Amino acid sequence: MRFSLALLFVAFAAVAARDTETQLKAIKDHHEARMAKLAEMIEERRQMTEDHESGRRRLSDEEYDRASRQLVNFQRKLDSLKQRTDEDHMERFEELKSLHKMNRLEFMDVEGMKRKLQTF
C-alpha cells in the first residue's frame, strides 16, 4: 500500500513538473512572438519614415509624427523585452498561477454565497 501511494505521489509530481515546464515554455514562446512582432512593426515604421523622407511616399505631418514616435517607442519596448531573463519568465509564471488561483477562489466564493442566499 505504501509503495502504491509513493508511486502515485511520484507520478503526480512528474505530471505537475511537466505541466510547469509546458506552461513556462508557452510563456517563453509568447515572449519570443512578441519580440518578433515588435521587430516587424519597427521595420514597417522605419520603412514608412524612410519613404517619407526620400519623397517616395509622402505622409501627412500627423502620420509622420506618429510613425516616428512609434518607431522610438517600439524600439524601446523591444530593448526592454530583450533584457528579460529566465528568472523574469518564472516570475511571470508564478504571477499567472496566483491570478488563476485567485480567480478560482473568487468563483468558489460566489458559488458559496449563492448557496447561502438560497437557504434564506
Side-chain angles (χ1 to χ4, degrees), residues 5 18 29 34 44 50 55 59 70 83-84 117:
L5 287 177
R18 190 171 349 116
D29 289 347
R34 284 182 67 197
E44 288 173 0
E50 286 176 7
L59 301 172
Q70 287 176 337
Q83 299 296 319
R84 294 202 179 156
L117 291 173

Side-chain angles (χ1 to χ4, degrees), residues 68-82:
S68 298
R69 278 193 320 271
Q70 287 176 337
L71 180 59
V72 170
N73 291 335
F74 293 160
Q75 186 62 54
R76 187 179 307 137
K77 183 63 176 178
L78 182 60
D79 292 342
S80 168
L81 289 176
K82 286 180 178 178

Side-chain angles (χ1 to χ4, degrees), residues 17-98:
R18 190 171 349 116
D19 263 359
T20 299
E21 289 173 17
T22 301
Q23 291 172 351
L24 191 54
K25 183 181 179 329
I27 289 170
K28 288 181 180 182
D29 289 347
H30 178 72
H31 177 78
E32 292 295 323
R34 284 182 67 197
M35 289 195 319
K37 182 63 176 174
L38 273 170
E40 177 185 317
M41 292 166 65
I42 288 168
E43 186 54 38
E44 288 173 0
R45 297 322 184 273
R46 184 174 288 126
Q47 189 64 48
M48 287 172 68
T49 57
E50 286 176 7
D51 287 350
H52 173 79
E53 292 165 357
S54 70
R56 276 182 280 195
R57 182 175 182 273
R58 300 297 288 174
L59 301 172
S60 70
D61 289 341
E62 184 179 319
E63 290 172 327
Y64 178 74
D65 289 342
R66 182 182 318 117
S68 298
R69 278 193 320 271
Q70 287 176 337
L71 180 59
V72 170
N73 291 335
F74 293 160
Q75 186 62 54
R76 187 179 307 137
K77 183 63 176 178
L78 182 60
D79 292 342
S80 168
L81 289 176
K82 286 180 178 178
Q83 299 296 319
R84 294 202 179 156
T85 63
D86 284 346
E87 187 175 295
D88 295 329
H89 293 303
M90 193 61 175
E91 185 177 313
R92 178 72 177 139
F93 170 72
E94 292 300 327
E95 288 172 3
L96 290 172
K97 196 164 71 171
S98 294

